[in-house]
Amino acid sequence: MLKIGLTGGIGSGKSTVAKLFQQLGIPVIDADLIAHQLVRPGQPALGALVTEFGPAILTSKGELDRSRLRELIFHDHTAKTRLEAILHPAVFAEMHRRATGLQTPYCILAIPLLIETNAQSMVDRILVIDCPERLQIERVKRRDGLDESLIKRILASQASRQERLAHAHDIIVNEGDLAMLERRVKDLHLYYLKLKPNQHGNHDP
Ligand code: ATP
C-alpha cells in the first residue's frame, strides 16, 4: 500500500484536499481524528495520560479535560514532550494498522504536523499543501473568526513553508479557486495510481 502523507500549515487547505481525494474513492486516515478517538474513556492512551499527569486532567464524567491539559502544558514546558511521547506513537501505530487493511492502490495519511513530529518515515511520499501566509490568515479568519494575531502565533509555532517544502515529493500550491484545486488533485490522483508502493522521488506531474 502506497502511503501519501498529506501535510501543510494551518488553513492551507489540507481538509479540503483530503475531501477531494475521498471523493475519488481514496481512503484518508486522519491523525487528528485518531488522536481524539484514542483518548476517549476506556482507551489505553487516556489511562497512560492519567498515570503521567494525574486524575486532574479528567472531567467529572471521566473524559479528557482538554482545557486543563492545555493549561498544564502552558505552565510546564516538559509536559508537552511527555504528552507527545504518549500520544504520537499510539496515533502512528493506529494509522499504520488502519492502512494495512486497505485494498485501494494508495491511501492518504493526513498528518498536519508531519514535519514538526519528524514522522517522514511513516509515509512513502509527502504531499505538501502550500499557500501564501496572507491567504492562510484570510481563510482561517473567515472560517473560524479567529483573531489575526492568534493565527500569526500559530503560524510561527509551525514549520515554515520552506522547511515543509524541503521535505515535499509533491506540492499543491493552493492559491487559486476551488476548481483549480480540484483539477490539481485529480492530476495527482492519476499520477499516484501509476506509482508502486515505496516509490520515492521528486517527480511532480
Ligand atoms: P487547519 O490546519 O486549520 O485544519 P486546513 O489546512 O485543513 O486547516 P481547510 O479547512 O481545508 O484547511 O481550508 C481552510 C479554509 O479555506 C476552509 O474554509 C476552506 O473551505 C477554504 N479554502 C481552502 N482552499 C480554498 C480555495 N482554493 N479557495 C477558496 N477557499 C478555500
Side-chain angles (χ1 to χ4, degrees):
M1 165 65 63
L2 176 72
K3 295 187 203 119
I4 308 293
L6 169 66
T7 195
I10 182 171
S12 56
K14 298 177 297 293
S15 310
T16 310
V17 167
K19 255 185 238 139
L20 291 169
F21 276 109
Q22 271 175 329
Q23 283 166 15
L24 294 167
I26 297 304
V28 174
I29 302 171
D30 186 314
D32 284 350
L33 195 68
I34 291 177
H36 269 78
Q37 291 170 348
L38 288 185
V39 294
R40 282 183 185 153
Q43 292 293 321
L46 183 59
L49 289 180
V50 173
T51 305
E52 183 67 37
F53 298 105
I57 61 161
L58 295 179
T59 65
S60 55
K61 286 188 188 156
E63 289 168 353
L64 182 63
D65 187 338
R66 290 174 189 279
S67 53
R68 178 84 191 97
L69 194 61
R70 262 197 300 275
E71 220 175 280
L72 251 166
I73 288 168
F74 186 74
H75 291 294
D76 174 358
H77 291 309
T78 69
K80 187 165 181 272
T81 316
R82 290 188 282 136
L83 170 74
E84 290 175 350
I86 292 168
L87 266 189
H88 290 170
V91 170
F92 293 150
E94 178 60 16
M95 292 186 94
H96 182 72
R97 193 189 68 76
R98 291 189 191 186
T100 305
L102 297 173
Q103 301 294 324
T104 45
Y106 75 94
C107 68
I108 300 283
L109 266 55
I111 312 177
L113 299 178
L114 193 151
I115 308 305
E116 292 85 342
T117 56
N118 236 340
Q120 292 89 333
S121 64
M122 278 283 296
V123 296
D124 300 304
R125 296 180 73 85
I126 296 175
L127 166 59
V128 169
I129 314 304
D130 184 51
C131 179
E133 283 195 0
R134 161 187 62 76
L135 265 180
Q136 287 177 269
I137 294 169
E138 238 174 62
R139 286 175 181 162
V140 175
K141 246 193 199 170
R142 200 176 318 131
R143 186 192 60 189
D144 302 335
L146 286 186
D147 193 60
E148 180 154 343
S149 63
L150 176 59
I151 304 170
K152 283 186 172 162
R153 276 216 305 281
I154 296 172
L155 273 168
S157 74
Q158 298 184 335
S160 68
R161 283 175 76 187
Q162 287 70 21
E163 277 173 282
R164 228 179 262 112
L165 289 173
H167 290 274
H169 297 96
D170 311 299
I171 301 165
I172 292 181
V173 181
N174 184 20
E175 56 185 353
D177 60 14
L178 288 170
M180 266 178 77
L181 188 62
E182 200 173 338
R183 277 199 299 277
R184 180 76 180 112
V185 169
K186 275 190 183 147
D187 285 347
L188 267 176
H189 172 64
L190 295 176
Y191 177 67
Y192 288 151
L193 286 178
K194 289 193 221 130
L195 289 176
K196 302 273 177 294
N198 302 315
Q199 194 162 352
H200 293 259
N202 288 307
H203 310 289
D204 211 10

